[in-house]
Amino acid sequence: MTLNRPVGVGVVAAVLGGTVAYLLFPDALLAATNAALWGVGGGLTVAEGEAWTGGPNEGGLENAIPAVVLLLLGIFGVHDGLPIDGGLRIALVVLAAGGLLVCTNAGVRFGRRTAAD
C-alpha cells in the first residue's frame, strides 16, 4: 500500500494540529476540529504547492493577504482583553489559522478548476 504525499502530510498535520490544540486547552471537540482543519489544510497545501512556490516574478501583494488576515485576527480579534484563558486564546488562533489554510488552498483549487474550464 502506498500513501501519496498530500495524504501523508495531511495525516501528520492533523495529528500535530489536534495535539497542539489539546495541549493548549484540553477540549476534545476543539482539538478534533483543529485536527480536521490542519489535516485538510496540510494536504491541500502540498497538493497545490505549485501555486505557493512560483517563480520570483509571479504573485504580488495579494500573496500576503492570508498572513495579514491571520495577524489581524490574532492581534485584534482574539486579544488579551477578552475574558478567556490564555491557552484557549492561543488555541482559537491556531483554529483560525487552520481554517484560513483550508480556505486559502480551497480557493486556489477552485481557481485552477475555473481556469481549466
Side-chain angles (χ1 to χ4, degrees), residues 10-95:
V11 168
V12 170
V15 169
L16 288 174
T19 302
V20 166
Y22 194 80
L23 291 174
L24 288 168
F25 189 79
D27 181 76
L29 187 57
L30 179 62
T33 305
N34 262 302
L37 288 173
W38 280 96
V40 171
L44 280 173
T45 299
V46 170
E48 300 300 332
E50 195 176 288
W52 296 105
T53 58
N57 297 327
E58 296 177 13
L61 287 178
E62 67 274 5
N63 290 0
I65 290 173
V68 170
V69 168
L70 182 60
L71 182 65
L72 292 174
L73 180 119
I75 292 174
F76 300 112
V78 189
H79 56 86
D80 286 336
L82 292 176
I84 55 177
D85 180 4
L88 176 59
R89 185 172 51 82
I90 296 169
L92 291 174
V93 172
V94 171
L95 179 71

